[in-house]
Amino acid sequence: MQAPDVVVVGSATRDLNDDESEPRDWLLGGGVTFGALALARLGLRTGVVLGLDAEAATAPELELIRDAGAEIVQVPLERGPIFTNIEQLSGRVQILGDRSDPVPVRALPDAWREARSWVFAPIAGEIGDEWAAVPPEHACVAFAWQGILRELVPGEQVRPTRPGPSPFLARADIVSVSRHDIPGDLPLGDIGTWLAPSCDLLLTAGLLGGMLLRYRDGEIHGARAYPSVPSNEEVDAAGAGDTMLAGLVAARIAAGEDASARGQDLRMGATASSLLVEGPGMNSVPTFAQMMARLSGRL
């Protein structure tokens, strides 16, 4: 078994819905599924270590990921994360249906340990700290921080927890988080003390775009704001941040520091996100052709 270009790790969610036009009352979701599908559709050899409860394992969305060329290692879970998402003018409210069992490191194929890029995409704290030590020293590691910034009590609204140090922050080359998950009274300089010596912090802000902060040895050494790419319509914003991160990672894998220096990575990520929100669920994760059409103004 050959190491993929990128390994994505996390648990799939079942997001409950009451849409009578849907064949079932939930959609498969989670950063790992959106991210893996986006990376695969952008042409990268993608390996996915995917936690699934028994019902989630039956989801036809898994075939979307496989059809895009990704290889999935399914990790059976007795309990997988379940959410109800309620969209309000003030933002999304999530109600937790169930927590997730952990995804163990032993599920990772040995040959995948040498992958040159990794995306850790927890949704409910299901990836233990031991995962942070798995990627080789030379690998580029991206971490979706908000997945461990949630207070999770079944039956209650999901609430943010106070950010703090984490082995993932100390290892990651790229950290992605919504600006809504960072308390307004938390100095950005304090975050630098938790990060690796060389780390980029991506702060996403939906329709407002976002900002990439470059931290070097704990201090901010540069910042680049980016605008959002206009969507034709917004149907479902679930997975937008995860797809943004996947587009950025794909651009960096393809073009390295050149992509970052010219801002192509941010443009690719924002473009992927703009297409994602135009449809429900994972079916709207864009292909490379769709992204090129959007960038050229043809879509």
Side-chain angles (χ1 to χ4, degrees), residues 3-297:
D5 294 325
V6 57
V7 173
V8 191
V9 185
S11 286
T13 67
R14 285 191 286 125
D15 294 332
L16 304 183
N17 67 70
D18 56 4
D19 187 345
E20 295 182 356
S21 67
E22 294 291 337
R24 61 178 195 268
D25 63 356
W26 56 271
L27 294 173
L28 198 72
V32 61
T33 56
F34 282 97
L37 180 55
L39 288 161
R41 284 185 170 177
L42 291 175
L44 297 174
R45 290 183 298 109
T46 304
V48 194
V49 181
L50 182 59
L52 294 162
D53 66 21
E55 196 166 357
T58 68
E61 292 97 328
L62 297 176
E63 292 309 310
L64 292 177
I65 302 174
R66 293 190 179 96
D67 289 346
E71 184 172 357
I72 300 175
V73 172
Q74 294 190 196
V75 182
L77 303 178
E78 183 175 338
R79 298 188 311 167
I82 301 173
F83 293 95
T84 298
N85 298 318
I86 304 170
E87 299 296 339
Q88 299 181 344
L89 291 177
S90 58
R92 176 184 300 166
V93 172
Q94 287 188 310
I95 307 298
L96 180 70
D98 204 355
R99 297 173 60 91
S100 176
D101 292 332
V103 176
V105 171
R106 66 175 180 274
L108 179 71
D110 287 341
W112 289 13
R113 289 177 177 266
E114 292 305 312
R116 58 178 177 150
S117 297
W118 297 68
V119 177
F120 290 118
I123 189 68
E126 73 279 9
I127 306 175
D129 289 345
E130 64 273 14
W131 276 99
V134 172
E137 184 178 352
H138 64 270
C140 178
V141 175
F143 175 51
W145 192 6
Q146 62 264 26
I148 64 170
L149 296 178
R150 295 183 167 106
E151 181 181 336
L152 300 172
V153 179
E156 296 187 9
Q157 180 177 335
V158 177
R159 301 187 185 280
T161 59
R162 186 78 180 180
S166 160
F168 288 105
L169 297 178
R171 173 60 185 88
D173 302 279
I174 305 166
V175 173
S176 175
V177 67
S178 167
R179 68 175 181 86
H180 300 294
D181 290 311
I182 300 297
D185 63 348
L186 177 62
L188 293 177
D190 287 1
I191 295 176
T193 65
W194 307 332
L195 302 178
S198 177
C199 182
D200 291 348
L201 176 65
L202 176 65
L203 294 171
T204 62
L207 295 175
L208 299 178
M211 179 171 291
L212 184 76
L213 301 176
R214 291 189 175 277
Y215 285 86
R216 300 297 180 263
D217 297 320
E219 297 183 355
I220 298 175
H221 274 232
R224 175 181 286 136
Y226 68 90
S228 64
V229 174
S231 301
N232 293 327
E233 61 178 332
E234 183 172 324
V235 174
D236 184 0
D242 306 299
T243 306
M244 166 79 195
L245 179 59
L248 183 146
V249 169
R252 291 198 180 184
I253 291 175
E257 282 302 312
D258 285 345
S260 179
R262 297 196 296 266
Q264 290 178 337
D265 52 354
L266 293 169
R267 187 69 172 170
M268 285 285 286
T271 301
S273 180
S274 78
L275 287 158
L276 183 280
V277 304
E278 293 181 353
M282 292 174 57
N283 283 306
S284 56
V285 172
T287 64
F288 183 75
Q290 289 172 321
M291 289 184 60
M292 292 302 99
R294 173 60 51 88
L295 283 168
S296 66

